[in-house]
């Protein structure tokens, strides 16, 4: 029997940023306020419209318009003498500035595809994928040969997706007891952001991140400056064609399976099965289909929404796990900025 529960992550305070990027025009005002220095100026001191315009090199009328839009979402407020300051709530939200900027950058990049290719998006996913520039960003063919051009191109999507993982990873340590594990394999683990989180919370854990060569090189650069550099090892590999390195008591597939067609799911679960030692645990952490009739997407959801047709019913993953012989399968439904499924399963100790 599959155990399925709904959980509300205790450490999801980062979701406060979504209130500021719900609508297109105010979100654009915030995106430019973050990039042109307006937010940083107000973080240092309260300032009048005229002074602020001079500091960021803008016309006072344009700055006044921008401030009014920022005020509409609670980013800024003004005093009686027209002195502007950041609100206390937004100041607290700036703790998550990396994710806020990633969502805005991603949404700004993807919005033109939906504006110009909406007909294809709502009629033919194949045609949309063929014409949309979105999928040029995720050009995995540039992730094999390590050179400056490929590092720069790959870093664009690695940085954006890693910002999401940095906060989503909290769910694993909030709701799973992973303290008995010693050897982790993170398949398609990007730049090691998830491995970093787990190693910080599990001091005895040694992590191996398996991904394409350019992604791994970016990961080595990311992890080298941290205190967990010795605990995280990167393996350049294409697990579509190669076998996983070594044996592990914990294997994770996070935000990987939705990238691939249905027939590839069995392939990656097979790779996880091969990598697991008997009794080892597999974790699948994936976005699932959302009910938009109940909760329509907001502008800030665009980086996730544009891939909405890729997200699957969790039962597909569960059925595949059962076919392989995994046991103790549990599913938890997690509500973050999008519905997730958190599935855990064990490889039998005796085969």
């Amino acid at each position: 029997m599959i155990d399925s529960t709904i959980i509300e992550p205790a450490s999801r305070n980062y979701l406060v940023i979504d209130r500021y990027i719900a609508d297109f025009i105010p979100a654009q005002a915030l995106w430019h306020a973050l990039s042109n220095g307006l937010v940083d100026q107000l973080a240092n001191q309260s300032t009048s419209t005229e002074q602020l315009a001079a500091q960021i090199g803008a016309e006072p009328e344009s700055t006044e318009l921008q401030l009014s839009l920022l005020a509409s979402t609670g980013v800024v407020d003004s005093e009686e003498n027209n002195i502007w300051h950041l609100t206390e709530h937004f100041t607290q939200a700036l703790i998550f500035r990396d994710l806020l900027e990633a969502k805005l950058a991603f949404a700004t990049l993807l919005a033109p595809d939906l504006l110009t290719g909406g007909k294809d998006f709502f009629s033919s996913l194949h045609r949309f994928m063929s014409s949309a520039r979105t999928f040029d960003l995720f050009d995995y063919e540039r992730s094999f040969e390590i050179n400056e051009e490929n590092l720069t191109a790959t870093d664009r999507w690695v940085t954006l997706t890693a910002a999401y993982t940095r906060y989503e990873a909290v769910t694993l340590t909030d709701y799973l007891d992973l303290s008995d594990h010693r050897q982790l394999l993170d398949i398609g683990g990007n730049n090691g952001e998830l491995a970093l989180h787990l190693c910080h919370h599990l001091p005895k854990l040694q992590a191996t991140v398996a991904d394409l060569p350019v992604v791994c090189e970016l990961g080595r650069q990311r992890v080298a400056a941290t205190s967990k550099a010795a605990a995280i090892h990167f393996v350049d590999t294409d697990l579509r064609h190669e076998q996983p390195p070594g044996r592990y008591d914990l294997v994770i597939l996070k935000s990987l399976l939705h990238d691939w067609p249905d027939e590839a799911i069995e392939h990656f679960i097979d790779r996880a099965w091969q990598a697991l030692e008997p009794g080892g645990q597999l974790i699948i952490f994936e976005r699932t289909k959302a009910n938009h009739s109940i909760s329509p997407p907001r502008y800030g959801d665009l980086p996730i929404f544009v891939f909405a047709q890729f997200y699957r019913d969790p039962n597909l993953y569960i059925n595949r796990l059962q076919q392989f012989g995994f046991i103790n399968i549990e599913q938890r439904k997690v509500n973050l900025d999008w519905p997730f499924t958190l599935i855990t399963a064990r490889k039998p100790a005796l085969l």
Side-chain angles (χ1 to χ4, degrees):
M1 180 176 180
I2 307 302
D3 177 49
S4 178
T5 56
I6 298 177
I7 58 178
E8 295 290 339
S11 301
R12 61 174 192 159
N13 293 339
Y14 67 90
L15 296 179
V16 300
I17 67 175
D18 290 338
R19 64 174 285 186
Y20 304 108
I21 54 177
D23 298 312
F24 173 73
I25 294 177
Q28 284 297 299
L30 177 56
W31 172 231
H32 293 288
L34 288 163
S35 58
N36 70 9
L38 187 151
V39 166
D40 294 313
Q41 291 291 340
L42 291 180
N44 292 328
Q45 63 178 1
S46 299
T47 310
S48 69
T49 303
E50 292 74 16
Q51 290 173 322
L52 188 57
Q55 290 166 344
I56 64 174
E59 298 173 354
E61 293 79 6
S62 299
T63 301
E64 183 178 14
L65 175 60
Q66 187 174 18
L67 288 167
S68 67
L69 291 169
L70 296 175
S72 73
T73 55
V75 173
V76 300
D77 198 2
S78 63
E79 302 167 10
E80 291 183 1
N81 54 357
N82 201 32
I83 299 297
W84 293 91
H85 60 269
L86 298 182
T87 64
E88 181 178 353
H89 189 274
F90 182 73
T91 299
Q92 292 299 314
L94 277 178
I95 296 171
F96 314 110
R97 181 169 180 164
D98 57 337
L99 181 60
L100 177 62
E101 291 186 334
K103 285 191 172 190
L104 284 168
F106 218 160
T108 300
L109 180 69
L110 304 185
D113 281 341
L114 199 56
L115 288 170
T116 60
K119 179 180 178 180
D120 287 340
F121 183 80
F122 293 110
S123 61
S124 170
L125 178 61
H126 175 74
R127 287 202 304 271
F128 179 74
M129 290 179 64
S130 298
S131 61
R133 296 180 60 189
T134 295
F135 300 94
D136 292 336
L137 174 66
F138 297 92
D139 184 359
Y140 295 144
E141 295 305 313
R142 304 194 69 168
S143 296
F144 288 92
E145 182 182 352
I146 299 175
N147 56 49
E148 287 304 316
E149 185 177 354
N150 286 345
L151 285 168
T152 299
T154 303
D155 186 53
R156 294 182 67 198
W157 64 262
V158 164
T159 298
L160 293 172
T161 55
Y164 282 81
T165 296
R166 191 171 301 126
Y167 295 95
E168 293 162 357
V170 175
T171 299
L172 271 64
T173 46
D174 271 355
Y175 292 95
L176 299 177
D177 182 3
L178 304 175
S179 58
D180 290 339
H181 292 294
R182 296 293 180 268
Q183 293 291 334
L184 161 69
L185 174 63
D186 188 0
I187 296 178
N190 206 311
N191 70 347
E193 205 66 56
L194 177 61
L196 268 173
H197 174 80
L198 293 178
C199 287
H200 277 300
H201 284 77
L202 305 167
K204 297 181 181 180
L205 187 69
Q206 294 288 311
T208 297
V209 177
D211 215 313
L212 300 177
V214 176
V215 179
C216 285
E217 180 60 26
L218 292 169
R220 293 184 189 99
Q221 296 173 16
R222 164 75 177 104
V223 169
T226 74
S227 61
K228 294 300 177 180
I232 301 175
H233 176 60
F234 287 85
V235 175
D236 301 357
T237 183
D238 183 355
L239 290 182
R240 294 174 299 176
H241 310 295
E242 300 169 7
Q243 296 297 319
R247 299 292 286 273
Y248 307 85
D249 61 8
L250 177 63
V251 174
I252 295 179
L253 297 168
K254 183 204 175 292
S255 300
L256 171 74
L257 298 178
H258 74 267
D259 272 346
W260 303 97
D262 288 354
E263 57 269 21
I265 295 175
E266 184 171 341
H267 174 85
F268 283 109
I269 291 178
D270 175 67
R271 291 295 193 251
W273 177 274
Q274 294 177 42
L276 279 170
E277 61 186 31
Q281 181 171 213
L282 171 64
I283 296 174
I284 296 175
F285 192 28
E286 278 282 352
R287 287 180 173 83
T288 63
K289 289 183 177 296
N291 187 346
H292 299 304
S293 65
I294 295 176
S295 178
R298 300 156 297 186
Y299 175 71
D301 296 324
L302 183 57
I304 308 304
F305 174 73
V306 77
F307 300 102
Q309 296 179 72
F310 292 75
Y311 306 134
R312 297 182 171 94
D313 186 320
N315 288 323
L316 178 63
Y317 304 134
I318 291 171
N319 290 339
R320 295 295 191 276
L321 293 174
Q322 291 173 324
Q323 291 169 8
F324 268 88
F326 280 94
I327 61 174
N328 300 338
I329 303 172
E330 298 182 4
Q331 181 200 171
R332 297 166 176 85
K333 298 176 183 178
V334 186
N335 294 315
L336 300 177
D337 53 359
W338 194 273
F340 275 77
T341 184
L342 176 60
I343 300 172
T344 57
R346 291 276 179 180
K347 184 176 182 178
L350 298 176
L351 298 177

